[in-house]
Amino acid sequence: MSTPERPEPTNKHLPHSMRTREPWPMWPIALAIVLFIGVYTYIQLSFRKEGPAFEPFQAMMDRKNAVVEKNMYDWYGLTAVRSSDQAPIPSPAEVSSRAYEEVLDEVVPEQLKYYMPGKPILVPGFVKVESPSTLTPGERLRLRLFLPEGIANDERVNLLSFYKEGDLYLLPSLFVEKRELVANELLQGEPTPVAFEFPTDPIDADTVTVRFLTEGRLSTWSMANLDPSAAIVEQDQGDL
């Protein structure tokens, strides 16, 4: 029986220096990594700015929740908050109220509907409202809403406020996914005054027409602007 021939080495035709070369040592690479980490850490500690780090997502949310924000259709969203001042409104405006079955669909402009993140769930029924008859841009406007006792102190009740070219829309809304999440008994009880306030910076019209929408009702009144020139109106880039 013949013995198979041994295969020849694959590096037979390589130069002697390459056949006998040792692998690169790892210590220079490790040293370079250590030096890089040290230099990077020194630069970070020596030159970084004081204060919290920039967070892009949080910055976006802050912009979204800005006190006054203008959208592409020139509507201003005015962020309303609860006011600690529960005193009656001096010299309130004369408010007219009437039943309006499809108030949300038929009264709110289409552009404003598109601006809203979703269809609001309006506070149901008649809600008495007290409003000043005048305003001054730059001064916060305070209103008093008389809500059912069960939801008067419920943080899910908010006031959506939108302004454009003399029209102010106010929508007392329930911040819930669906109306059924609010028990009917909470919508009963004696009317309890709750004050809200919001900024008036962009209100530049001489007279402001206010539309106050609740589920199935529409209330309207007018306010005189005491100093339209004090309004701060955000200009579009094309107008500059």
PDB file of all heavy atoms in Angstrom, residues 24-35:
ATOM      1  N   TRP A  24       1.323  41.172  15.273  1.00  0.00           N
ATOM      2  CA  TRP A  24       1.493  42.505  15.873  1.00  0.00           C
ATOM      3  C   TRP A  24       1.212  42.413  17.376  1.00  0.00           C
ATOM      4  O   TRP A  24       0.243  41.800  17.797  1.00  0.00           O
ATOM      5  CB  TRP A  24       0.505  43.493  15.246  1.00  0.00           C
ATOM      6  CG  TRP A  24       0.958  43.986  13.903  1.00  0.00           C
ATOM      7  CD1 TRP A  24       0.825  43.364  12.717  1.00  0.00           C
ATOM      8  CD2 TRP A  24       1.620  45.216  13.655  1.00  0.00           C
ATOM      9  NE1 TRP A  24       1.360  44.096  11.707  1.00  0.00           N
ATOM     10  CE2 TRP A  24       1.865  45.261  12.246  1.00  0.00           C
ATOM     11  CE3 TRP A  24       2.047  46.276  14.444  1.00  0.00           C
ATOM     12  CZ2 TRP A  24       2.516  46.328  11.638  1.00  0.00           C
ATOM     13  CZ3 TRP A  24       2.678  47.350  13.838  1.00  0.00           C
ATOM     14  CH2 TRP A  24       2.911  47.376  12.454  1.00  0.00           C
ATOM     15  N   PRO A  25       2.005  43.087  18.175  1.00  0.00           N
ATOM     16  CA  PRO A  25       1.719  43.113  19.614  1.00  0.00           C
ATOM     17  C   PRO A  25       0.477  43.963  19.890  1.00  0.00           C
ATOM     18  O   PRO A  25       0.191  44.935  19.183  1.00  0.00           O
ATOM     19  CB  PRO A  25       2.973  43.747  20.217  1.00  0.00           C
ATOM     20  CG  PRO A  25       3.582  44.534  19.111  1.00  0.00           C
ATOM     21  CD  PRO A  25       3.271  43.790  17.835  1.00  0.00           C
ATOM     22  N   MET A  26      -0.305  43.618  20.918  1.00  0.00           N
ATOM     23  CA  MET A  26      -1.547  44.317  21.244  1.00  0.00           C
ATOM     24  C   MET A  26      -1.343  45.516  22.148  1.00  0.00           C
ATOM     25  O   MET A  26      -2.217  46.371  22.256  1.00  0.00           O
ATOM     26  CB  MET A  26      -2.529  43.337  21.907  1.00  0.00           C
ATOM     27  CG  MET A  26      -2.988  42.211  20.987  1.00  0.00           C
ATOM     28  SD  MET A  26      -3.841  42.828  19.523  1.00  0.00           S
ATOM     29  CE  MET A  26      -5.264  43.609  20.283  1.00  0.00           C
ATOM     30  N   TRP A  27      -0.180  45.600  22.814  1.00  0.00           N
ATOM     31  CA  TRP A  27      -0.026  46.669  23.792  1.00  0.00           C
ATOM     32  C   TRP A  27      -0.062  48.063  23.182  1.00  0.00           C
ATOM     33  O   TRP A  27      -0.580  48.999  23.812  1.00  0.00           O
ATOM     34  CB  TRP A  27       1.241  46.457  24.626  1.00  0.00           C
ATOM     35  CG  TRP A  27       2.539  46.630  23.864  1.00  0.00           C
ATOM     36  CD1 TRP A  27       3.284  45.663  23.286  1.00  0.00           C
ATOM     37  CD2 TRP A  27       3.226  47.878  23.627  1.00  0.00           C
ATOM     38  NE1 TRP A  27       4.388  46.172  22.682  1.00  0.00           N
ATOM     39  CE2 TRP A  27       4.384  47.559  22.874  1.00  0.00           C
ATOM     40  CE3 TRP A  27       2.980  49.203  23.956  1.00  0.00           C
ATOM     41  CZ2 TRP A  27       5.291  48.530  22.458  1.00  0.00           C
ATOM     42  CZ3 TRP A  27       3.881  50.169  23.554  1.00  0.00           C
ATOM     43  CH2 TRP A  27       5.023  49.847  22.811  1.00  0.00           C
ATOM     44  N   PRO A  28       0.421  48.306  21.917  1.00  0.00           N
ATOM     45  CA  PRO A  28       0.280  49.672  21.378  1.00  0.00           C
ATOM     46  C   PRO A  28      -1.184  50.067  21.182  1.00  0.00           C
ATOM     47  O   PRO A  28      -1.568  51.209  21.391  1.00  0.00           O
ATOM     48  CB  PRO A  28       1.033  49.597  20.042  1.00  0.00           C
ATOM     49  CG  PRO A  28       1.953  48.451  20.165  1.00  0.00           C
ATOM     50  CD  PRO A  28       1.214  47.459  20.995  1.00  0.00           C
ATOM     51  N   ILE A  29      -2.012  49.087  20.756  1.00  0.00           N
ATOM     52  CA  ILE A  29      -3.436  49.388  20.565  1.00  0.00           C
ATOM     53  C   ILE A  29      -4.106  49.698  21.893  1.00  0.00           C
ATOM     54  O   ILE A  29      -4.879  50.661  22.012  1.00  0.00           O
ATOM     55  CB  ILE A  29      -4.120  48.192  19.864  1.00  0.00           C
ATOM     56  CG1 ILE A  29      -3.477  47.940  18.492  1.00  0.00           C
ATOM     57  CG2 ILE A  29      -5.619  48.432  19.730  1.00  0.00           C
ATOM     58  CD1 ILE A  29      -4.014  46.723  17.780  1.00  0.00           C
ATOM     59  N   ALA A  30      -3.809  48.880  22.894  1.00  0.00           N
ATOM     60  CA  ALA A  30      -4.389  49.127  24.213  1.00  0.00           C
ATOM     61  C   ALA A  30      -3.945  50.473  24.753  1.00  0.00           C
ATOM     62  O   ALA A  30      -4.732  51.224  25.353  1.00  0.00           O
ATOM     63  CB  ALA A  30      -3.997  47.998  25.163  1.00  0.00           C
ATOM     64  N   LEU A  31      -2.665  50.820  24.560  1.00  0.00           N
ATOM     65  CA  LEU A  31      -2.160  52.108  25.030  1.00  0.00           C
ATOM     66  C   LEU A  31      -2.861  53.258  24.316  1.00  0.00           C
ATOM     67  O   LEU A  31      -3.214  54.272  24.947  1.00  0.00           O
ATOM     68  CB  LEU A  31      -0.649  52.179  24.801  1.00  0.00           C
ATOM     69  CG  LEU A  31       0.033  53.496  25.221  1.00  0.00           C
ATOM     70  CD1 LEU A  31      -0.174  53.743  26.717  1.00  0.00           C
ATOM     71  CD2 LEU A  31       1.513  53.455  24.875  1.00  0.00           C
ATOM     72  N   ALA A  32      -3.114  53.120  23.004  1.00  0.00           N
ATOM     73  CA  ALA A  32      -3.796  54.176  22.256  1.00  0.00           C
ATOM     74  C   ALA A  32      -5.214  54.385  22.764  1.00  0.00           C
ATOM     75  O   ALA A  32      -5.689  55.521  22.883  1.00  0.00           O
ATOM     76  CB  ALA A  32      -3.808  53.817  20.767  1.00  0.00           C
ATOM     77  N   ILE A  33      -5.907  53.281  23.083  1.00  0.00           N
ATOM     78  CA  ILE A  33      -7.279  53.391  23.610  1.00  0.00           C
ATOM     79  C   ILE A  33      -7.282  54.103  24.950  1.00  0.00           C
ATOM     80  O   ILE A  33      -8.113  54.996  25.215  1.00  0.00           O
ATOM     81  CB  ILE A  33      -7.910  51.994  23.718  1.00  0.00           C
ATOM     82  CG1 ILE A  33      -8.096  51.379  22.325  1.00  0.00           C
ATOM     83  CG2 ILE A  33      -9.244  52.063  24.453  1.00  0.00           C
ATOM     84  CD1 ILE A  33      -8.593  49.955  22.343  1.00  0.00           C
ATOM     85  N   VAL A  34      -6.350  53.733  25.829  1.00  0.00           N
ATOM     86  CA  VAL A  34      -6.275  54.367  27.148  1.00  0.00           C
ATOM     87  C   VAL A  34      -5.980  55.851  27.014  1.00  0.00           C
ATOM     88  O   VAL A  34      -6.579  56.697  27.687  1.00  0.00           O
ATOM     89  CB  VAL A  34      -5.224  53.670  28.013  1.00  0.00           C
ATOM     90  CG1 VAL A  34      -4.996  54.438  29.299  1.00  0.00           C
ATOM     91  CG2 VAL A  34      -5.647  52.231  28.314  1.00  0.00           C
ATOM     92  N   LEU A  35      -5.037  56.219  26.119  1.00  0.00           N
ATOM     93  CA  LEU A  35      -4.703  57.632  25.929  1.00  0.00           C
ATOM     94  C   LEU A  35      -5.894  58.403  25.370  1.00  0.00           C
ATOM     95  O   LEU A  35      -6.166  59.532  25.790  1.00  0.00           O
ATOM     96  CB  LEU A  35      -3.499  57.747  24.985  1.00  0.00           C
ATOM     97  CG  LEU A  35      -2.152  57.288  25.554  1.00  0.00           C
ATOM     98  CD1 LEU A  35      -1.073  57.367  24.482  1.00  0.00           C
ATOM     99  CD2 LEU A  35      -1.763  58.125  26.771  1.00  0.00           C
TER     100      LEU A  35
END
